[in-house]
């Protein structure tokens, strides 16, 4: 939907902030060596690159440049696998590094898009990173052939060794990489046929595990720079409110305090020698806020506004076929249900943080970010310096889940550092600040109305969504005639988030009702609620039709072979249709998002009517090509933890314009005792590249809810389940 | 002046005795493997051992740790040789983002000292750390593997 966006560089950099719900850019990248870059690196004793993606050291160590960030999802290893596959290097010698967004700007975006959002880390860069590896291999072979004065066609490469077949002469990548970097890059770079892959598709070990076990890995919050000071901040707890006044007298005399300052028009920060001193001082300051009109907003007033949207005349139509309303009116049986989905906070384990060093002619930032190019643009804007005088260095994130695709914390860090020129300042939020200033999962209600004919076939379906648009808030240029297509994720007529049912009369529309709460991309984005709405309602329809939930779905899935395959796979492995262990009940769901086809079959038991034990979840994904199946299995299981934590425990509620939940005591997260056994099925059917990090998250919740109905006869349509006294045990 | 023994080494520094042990470890001692997650002993990212017992260091004042033996994530390997818990974590590729894993490993290390062969129920009772990436399936496998090692 954004392929046609014509944006200047600045607006692109800002706009890429918005990436997540399907913002896509088709890139034709030069992946070739830069003579200037090599000259500059040689001057610093750094081995020259073969091309932008590959550096080979004299000892044959291969450094693969990684444009995306690894926040735990395994992308770093997967991307390195793809480069190494084509490079034909020794995997044991592969290491990685992150180029900076400043280098990317200086080199005309040679590494493309740094944004790590929308489950795009692999699928949107697979083509050019594989070409980067293949081109490097061709150049290394050419360099060896030149040295031997033989045709390159007579040489082959494997495991970082080049062999001249007729003579048997051999050399290593490390010996010819210097010469290879000086060659012109090949114009045609053919890629391997997937059937010849040796490394892609293998569950090789992650490259980044060890430092996470010893305390050595440096996350953003751990950074230490010489002379660094520490800061913490409080922004007006009412979104959009202002800082009226504060009394700094007491804090200014407290130990270690260097400065108490206003940040923008809505926040106050303390800079101190240590973070604990900064936090203690900030807590001692009496602050007066002005929440303005927004202070009148509550969860109840938002719910009222959304409820009105469920029957509003005007709505954006995304998917329409036949005449759904007429079909439902004329149906033998009508089924209607209203669902709602709450605001959610990402609650990454590591709160937001960034370190900035400002001088009159340079501003540098060190931070965990999912969107380094946006962080750079924000650094430039907040510092008032041109982009060429700014730089962002990426540090490991303690979780991302979409939250770190926003750079609000970077702007704050730069504004604080600007008041302390020449001194690096690390801004670290408290958990409370993190909970109060998220970029929340959008709030949404849905009214679903279905008509069944006399044979129990679904003749018409109307889904009316009412609630918040992410793109209207973060990137209005991506709206299509005012409509946020991403809101319909999983309901699209076609494309990577298509509706996987064929229904003769269909209407899916959205009454956009925005709130003052800033929305964001929360792992899975809009498939979280859309899968619950549709897949629970499908169960309601099947029940009303007196049909088996699997059989009812299958009838609507002709022409959707990949979805049918994953649904069948979980049904078979989950034992659907066969007797369950005594007291166990099953539920199903499937969906499509981020290009992948996903399904789940769960088995639960319910004690005392409210204590839910999830015994197993069989989860299947067809992501087209599976680069590292072991890591995909971990993403499936991990996404279920994130999604089910939300289903059972989590919501952010608004009172007096601000969020009520401030820490894990009021916003809980699943523990190991509640963890179901996850049986992941990776079913790569080939021929396309689907996402992995997010899609499966959305099928766990509806499958559990459908199983809960099977167990208790109760349909739950508002969340989290704790509000109904239901707990996960 | 606080006197702490961390990973067998003595440290002396000037700090308010009410400062949470977590922040003394991170800021005065400079060991950043122990993480801040919540500050209210909910998430367990800050777990360290005091005299072999797992505690949430964000909620223990420095004064309560003086004269006791403190062990952090940096202190459980013997040089380059990983502890059996760390080794099991490596073999089973437990971490995703890894931020909670220091605390998770310290909690598990204490559990295995108390119960060398924990049952699943023992694990459920003792390990209450939050992991937002959702690594619990690998955590459980790795605990059993470490118990067998």
């Amino acid at each position: 939907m954004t392929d046609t966006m014509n944006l200047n560089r600045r607006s692109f950099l800002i706009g890429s902030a918005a990436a997540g719900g399907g913002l896509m850019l088709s890139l034709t990248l030069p992946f070739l060596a830069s003579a200037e870059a090599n000259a500059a690196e040689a001057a610093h004793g750094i081995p020259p690159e073969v091309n932008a993606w590959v550096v080979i050291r004299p000892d044959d160590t291969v450094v693969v440049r990684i444009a995306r960030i690894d926040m735990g999802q395994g992308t770093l290893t997967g991307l390195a696998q793809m480069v190494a596959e084509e490079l034909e290097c020794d995997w044991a010698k592969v290491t990685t590094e992150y180029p900076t967004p400043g280098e990317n700007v200086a080199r005309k975006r040679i590494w493309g898009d740094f944004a790590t959002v929308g489950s795009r880390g692999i699928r949107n860069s697979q083509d050019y990173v594989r070409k980067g590896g293949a081109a490097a291999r061709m150049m290394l072979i050419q360099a060896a052939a030149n040295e031997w004065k033989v045709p390159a066609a007579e040489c082959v490469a494997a495991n970082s060794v080049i062999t001249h077949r007729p003579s048997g002469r051999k050399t290593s990548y490390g010996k010819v990489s210097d010469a290879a970097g000086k060659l012109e890059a090949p114009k045609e770079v053919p890629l391997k046929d997937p059937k010849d892959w040796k490394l892609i598709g293998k569950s090789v070990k992650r490259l980044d595990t060890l430092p996470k076990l010893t305390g050595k890995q440096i996350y953003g919050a751990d950074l230490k720079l010489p002379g660094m000071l520490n800061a913490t901040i409080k922004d007006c707890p009412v979104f959009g409110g202002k800082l009226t006044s504060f009394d700094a007298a007491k804090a200014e005399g407290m130990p270690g305090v260097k400065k108490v300052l206003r940040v923008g028009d809505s926040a106050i920060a303390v800079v101190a020698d240590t973070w604990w001193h900064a936090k203690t001082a900030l807590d001692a300051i009496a602050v007066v806020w002005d929440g303005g009109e927004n202070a009148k907003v509550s969860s109840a007033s938002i719910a009222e506004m959304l409820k009105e949207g469920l029957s509003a005349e005007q709505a954006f139509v995304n998917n329409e076929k036949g005449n759904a309303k007429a079909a439902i009116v004329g149906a033998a049986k009508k089924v209607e249900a209203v669902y709602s989905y709450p605001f959610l906070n990402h609650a990454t384990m590591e709160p937001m943080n960034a370190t900035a060093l400002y001088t009159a002619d340079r501003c540098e930032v060190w931070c965990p970010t999912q969107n380094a190019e946006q962080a750079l643009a924000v650094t430039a804007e907040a510092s008032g310096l041109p982009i060429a005088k700014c730089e962002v260095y990426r540090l490991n994130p303690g979780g991302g889940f979409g939250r770190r695709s926003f750079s609000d914390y970077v702007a704050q860090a730069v504004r604080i550092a600007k008041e302390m020129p020449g001194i690096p300042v690390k801004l670290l939020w408290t958990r409370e600040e993190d909970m109060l200033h998220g970029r929340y999962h959008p709030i949404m209600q849905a009214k679903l109305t279905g008509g069944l004919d006399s044979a129990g076939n679904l003749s018409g379906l109307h889904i009316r969504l009412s609630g918040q648009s992410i793109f209207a808030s973060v990137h209005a240029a991506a709206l299509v005639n005012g409509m946020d297509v991403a809101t319909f994720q999983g309901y699209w007529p076609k494309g990577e988030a298509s509706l996987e049912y064929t229904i003769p009369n269909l209407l899916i529309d959205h009454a956009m009702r925005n709130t003052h709460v800033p929305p964001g991309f929360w792992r899975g984005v809009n498939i979280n609620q859309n899968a619950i709405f549709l897949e629970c309602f499908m169960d309601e329809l099947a029940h009303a039709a007196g049909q088996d939930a699997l059989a009812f779905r299958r009838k609507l899935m002709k022409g959707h072979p990949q979805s049918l395959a994953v649904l069948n796979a979980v049904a078979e492995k989950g034992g659907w249709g066969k007797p369950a262990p005594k007291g166990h009940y099953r539920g199903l769901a499937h969906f499509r998002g981020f290009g992948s086809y996903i399904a789940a079959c769960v088995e639960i038991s319910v004690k005392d009517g409210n204590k839910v034990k999830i015994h197993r979840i069989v989860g299947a994904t067809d992501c087209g090509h599976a680069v590292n199946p072991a890591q995909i299995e971990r993403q499936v299981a991990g996404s279920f933890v994130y999604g089910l934590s939300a289903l059972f425990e989590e919501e952010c509620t608004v009172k007096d314009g601000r969020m009520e939940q401030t820490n894990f005591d009021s916003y809980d997260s699943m523990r190991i005792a509640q963890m179901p056994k996850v049986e992941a099925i990776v079913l790569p059917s080939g021929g396309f590249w689907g996402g992995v990090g997010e899609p499966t998250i959305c099928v766990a919740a509806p499958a559990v809810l459908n199983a809960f109905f099977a167990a208790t006869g109760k349909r739950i349509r508002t969340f989290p389940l704790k509000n109904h006294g239901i707990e996960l045990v | 002046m606080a006197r702490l023994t961390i990973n067998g080494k003595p440290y002396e520094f000037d700090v308010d005795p009410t400062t949470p042990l977590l922040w003394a470890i991170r800021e005065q001692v400079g060991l950043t493997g122990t993480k801040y997650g919540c500050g209210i002993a909910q998430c367990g990212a800050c777990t360290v051992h005091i005299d072999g017992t797992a505690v949430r260091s964000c909620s223990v004042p420095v004064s309560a740790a003086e004269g006791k033996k403190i062990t952090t994530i940096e202190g459980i390997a013997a040089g380059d040789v990983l502890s059996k818990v760390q080794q099991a974590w490596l073999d089973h590729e437990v971490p995703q983002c890894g931020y909670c894993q220091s605390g998770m490993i310290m909690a598990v290390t204490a559990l295995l000292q108390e119960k060398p062969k924990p049952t699943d129920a023992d694990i459920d009772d003792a390990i209450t750390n939050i992991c937002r990436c959702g690594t619990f399936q690998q955590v459980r496998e790795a605990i059993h593997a470490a118990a067998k090692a």
Side-chain angles (χ1 to χ4, degrees):
Chain A
M1 66 191 176
T2 50
D3 282 1
T4 54
M5 281 199 304
N6 181 17
L7 301 168
N8 63 33
R9 164 161 302 279
R10 184 59 178 277
S11 66
F12 168 74
L13 289 168
I14 299 282
S16 57
L23 185 70
M24 276 210 224
L25 297 157
S26 54
L27 292 161
T28 313
L29 290 179
F31 44 78
L32 315 176
S34 148
E36 305 95 275
N38 273 348
E41 293 191 343
H44 291 95
I46 298 165
E49 61 185 30
V50 180
N51 62 27
W53 301 98
V54 176
V55 175
I56 296 174
R57 297 186 183 133
D59 67 355
D60 286 339
T61 303
V62 176
V63 183
V64 176
R65 301 253 177 77
I66 304 293
R68 314 286 179 173
I69 192 86
D70 201 305
M71 50 197 150
Q73 80 280 35
T75 296
L76 178 140
T77 304
L79 289 171
Q81 277 177 263
M82 289 198 285
V83 173
E85 175 72 60
E86 295 289 345
L87 183 58
E88 294 287 2
C89 65
D90 181 350
W91 178 251
K93 290 175 181 153
V94 170
T95 179
T96 61
E97 68 179 23
Y98 290 130
T100 69
E103 290 168 327
N104 203 33
V105 169
R107 295 180 66 177
K108 300 184 173 67
R109 301 194 78 228
I110 195 165
W111 291 287
D113 179 1
F114 279 28
T116 310
V117 290
S119 294
R120 287 161 31 193
I122 299 279
R123 65 192 174 117
N124 277 27
S125 41
Q126 52 80 22
D127 179 67
Y128 55 78
V129 300
R130 287 190 293 144
K131 282 183 178 156
R137 182 198 70 237
M138 292 165 75
M139 292 157 76
L140 289 157
I141 288 175
Q142 186 64 55
N146 291 352
E147 198 177 303
W148 293 329
K149 299 185 172 50
V150 300
E154 291 180 3
C155 302
V156 291
N159 264 337
S160 297
V161 173
I162 303 163
T163 305
H164 178 234
R165 276 179 301 190
S167 68
R169 273 180 294 184
K170 288 180 192 298
T171 189
S172 76
Y173 278 4
K175 293 198 179 87
V176 295
S177 64
D178 218 340
K182 296 186 177 102
L183 295 176
E184 201 147 304
K187 289 193 175 56
E188 295 290 318
V189 184
L191 293 176
K192 285 183 186 178
D193 190 299
K195 70 175 167 39
D196 298 323
W197 286 341
K198 293 176 290 196
L199 200 51
I200 298 175
K202 290 263 160 32
S203 293
V204 296
K205 296 273 184 177
R206 290 179 68 124
L207 297 169
D208 54 354
T209 299
L210 187 58
K212 295 172 182 172
L213 309 177
T214 58
K216 290 199 175 106
Q217 169 129 320
I218 299 300
Y219 297 87
D222 301 330
L223 184 70
K224 282 179 264 188
L225 294 173
M228 185 180 82
L229 296 175
N230 289 274
T232 195
I233 196 164
K234 280 184 185 171
D235 200 352
C236 180
V238 178
F239 308 106
K242 303 270 185 273
L243 170 63
T244 304
S245 63
F246 59 87
D247 179 4
K250 191 176 165 198
E252 278 165 348
M254 289 175 72
V257 171
K258 307 289 182 189
K259 197 165 200 151
V260 179
L261 69 161
R262 187 182 273 270
V263 183
D265 61 2
S266 67
I268 173 173
V270 175
V271 181
D273 55 351
T274 66
W275 186 82
W276 184 251
H277 281 152
K279 185 209 181 276
T280 308
L282 184 54
D283 285 346
I285 298 173
V287 185
V288 181
W289 307 107
D290 174 14
E293 280 298 298
N294 288 342
K296 295 176 186 161
V297 179
S298 67
S299 281
S301 68
I302 292 171
E304 208 46 46
M305 176 175 71
L306 267 54
K307 191 179 166 198
E308 176 276 325
L310 293 178
S311 52
E313 291 272 318
Q314 297 287 322
F316 295 110
V317 176
N318 173 258
N319 197 346
E320 186 172 24
K321 206 165 87 175
N323 188 333
K325 286 179 180 170
I328 293 163
V329 167
K333 196 168 191 177
K334 183 180 159 185
V335 182
E336 187 174 296
V338 174
Y339 285 78
S340 67
Y341 198 85
F343 290 119
L344 297 168
N345 188 298
H346 298 80
T348 60
M349 289 304 297
E350 180 196 34
M352 297 304 110
N353 66 84
T355 302
L357 171 59
Y358 171 88
T359 61
D361 65 355
R362 186 153 176 84
C363 187
E364 293 172 289
V365 167
W366 294 257
C367 67
T369 172
Q370 292 177 244
N371 199 340
E373 292 188 286
Q374 181 207 46
L376 179 64
V378 164
T379 298
E381 189 174 296
S383 67
L385 293 169
I387 279 184
K389 292 186 171 183
C390 297
E391 186 57 291
V392 170
Y393 308 98
R394 288 183 282 175
L395 297 173
N396 296 298
F401 312 117
R403 177 62 183 88
R404 290 188 222 272
S405 64
F406 296 85
S407 300
D408 46 330
Y409 54 96
V410 174
Q412 290 177 343
V414 171
R415 288 193 184 113
I416 294 167
K418 204 174 170 182
E419 301 295 317
M420 317 284 291
I423 301 171
V425 181
K426 177 163 73 187
L427 170 67
L428 170 65
W429 287 12
T430 58
R431 172 61 58 195
E432 287 76 12
E433 188 68 8
D434 202 273
M435 288 299 298
L436 292 175
H437 288 287
R439 290 293 181 271
Y440 301 87
H441 190 298
I443 194 164
M444 196 71 68
Q445 293 185 10
K447 182 159 89 179
L448 299 99
T449 319
L452 296 164
D453 67 19
S454 54
N457 295 311
L458 181 60
S459 53
L461 175 68
H462 178 201
I463 304 177
R464 161 60 64 88
L465 301 169
S466 174
Q468 207 170 9
S469 151
I470 302 174
F471 279 94
S473 166
V474 307
H475 190 48
L479 299 177
V480 180
N481 298 323
M483 176 166 65
D484 181 352
V485 176
T487 303
F488 299 91
Q489 204 182 6
Y491 295 160
W492 295 357
K494 59 185 168 67
E496 67 163 54
S498 57
L499 179 71
E500 291 297 295
Y501 292 114
T502 300
I503 298 163
N505 297 287
L506 178 72
L507 175 62
I508 306 180
D509 53 11
H510 174 214
M512 193 186 289
R513 294 292 180 272
N514 294 321
T515 78
H516 79 303
V517 176
F521 308 99
W522 190 98
R523 190 178 193 173
V525 195
N526 288 300
I527 61 173
N528 289 299
Q529 75 275 18
N530 287 349
I532 288 179
F533 301 157
L534 180 64
E535 283 301 278
C536 289
F537 193 64
M538 276 292 161
D539 238 58
E540 298 201 39
L541 289 166
H543 184 73
Q547 292 177 26
D548 172 75
L550 176 61
F552 184 80
R553 284 177 170 83
R554 278 176 174 163
K555 286 194 294 184
L556 301 167
M557 293 174 72
K558 292 189 181 80
H560 305 279
Q562 286 115 323
S563 284
L564 191 58
V566 290
L567 182 61
N568 285 339
V570 298
E572 187 182 346
K573 189 163 186 185
W576 191 266
K578 294 183 185 141
K582 192 168 181 296
H584 289 205
Y585 297 87
R586 296 190 181 115
L588 282 174
H590 76 98
F591 216 61
R592 180 153 190 234
F594 306 96
S596 293
Y597 304 87
I598 58 254
C601 179
V602 308
E603 194 173 297
I604 70 166
S605 59
V606 183
K607 201 176 151 196
D608 305 332
N610 71 335
K611 292 176 188 65
V612 177
K613 178 76 193 164
I614 306 174
H615 298 279
R616 58 191 293 230
I617 308 183
V618 180
T621 176
D622 177 359
C623 50
H625 293 296
V627 176
N628 188 319
Q631 295 311 319
I632 294 172
E633 288 173 17
R634 283 161 174 75
Q635 288 304 296
V636 171
S639 75
F640 289 167
V641 172
Y642 206 68
L644 293 173
S645 291
L647 176 70
F648 280 89
E649 322 256 12
E650 295 167 0
E651 71 173 327
C652 296
T653 51
V654 180
K655 189 181 175 197
D656 301 330
R658 51 169 282 175
M659 289 306 181
E660 294 188 278
Q661 293 70 24
T662 55
N663 208 317
F664 288 122
D665 54 350
S666 47
Y667 192 83
D668 211 347
S669 193
M670 189 196 282
R671 313 299 161 108
I672 198 169
Q674 300 161 299
M675 177 74 194
K677 180 174 176 238
V678 175
E679 300 163 55
I681 305 173
V682 183
L683 274 179
S685 62
F688 68 98
W689 294 81
V692 166
E694 296 173 87
T696 50
I697 192 171
C698 74
V699 284
V704 166
L705 291 164
N706 291 338
F708 187 80
F709 174 78
T712 65
K714 285 184 191 151
R715 292 279 177 202
I716 309 292
R717 302 187 184 93
T718 65
F719 313 107
L721 295 178
K722 72 171 181 185
N723 292 349
H724 303 272
I726 298 166
E727 52 183 298
L728 180 62
V729 295
Chain B
M1 189 65 70
R3 288 184 182 81
L4 294 182
T5 305
I6 302 176
N7 303 329
K9 275 201 220 164
Y11 293 90
E12 259 190 45
F13 45 84
D14 192 19
V15 72
D16 185 310
T18 64
T19 302
L21 179 60
L22 165 67
W23 292 102
I25 291 170
R26 288 180 59 84
E27 302 199 297
Q28 265 78 30
V29 180
L31 295 174
T32 56
T34 306
K35 304 302 184 194
Y36 166 66
C38 68
I40 57 167
Q42 288 285 313
C43 77
C46 64
T47 304
V48 301
H49 298 177
I50 298 183
D51 289 341
T53 303
V55 298
R56 294 187 170 172
S57 64
C58 71
S59 301
V60 176
V62 165
S63 56
E66 284 203 77
K68 295 177 180 163
K69 215 177 94 183
I70 299 160
T71 309
T72 71
I73 186 70
E74 291 90 348
I76 57 168
D80 287 341
V81 182
L82 298 178
S83 76
K84 65 180 184 177
V85 176
Q86 288 170 313
Q87 186 61 48
W89 248 240
L90 184 63
D91 295 343
H92 289 261
E93 290 194 285
V94 175
Q96 288 185 29
C97 88
Y99 192 83
C100 75
Q101 297 295 336
S102 295
M104 195 76 83
I105 288 169
M106 295 309 287
V108 169
T109 301
L111 168 66
L112 292 180
Q113 278 160 8
E114 196 193 327
K115 290 183 177 161
K117 304 276 176 204
T119 63
D120 280 336
D122 293 334
I123 293 167
D124 290 348
D125 286 345
I127 305 303
T128 57
N129 301 46
I130 293 176
C131 170
R132 294 289 284 165
C133 295
T135 60
F136 298 127
Q137 190 142 312
Q138 282 73 39
V139 168
R140 192 183 295 280
E141 285 170 14
I143 293 173
H144 289 307
K148 286 189 193 114

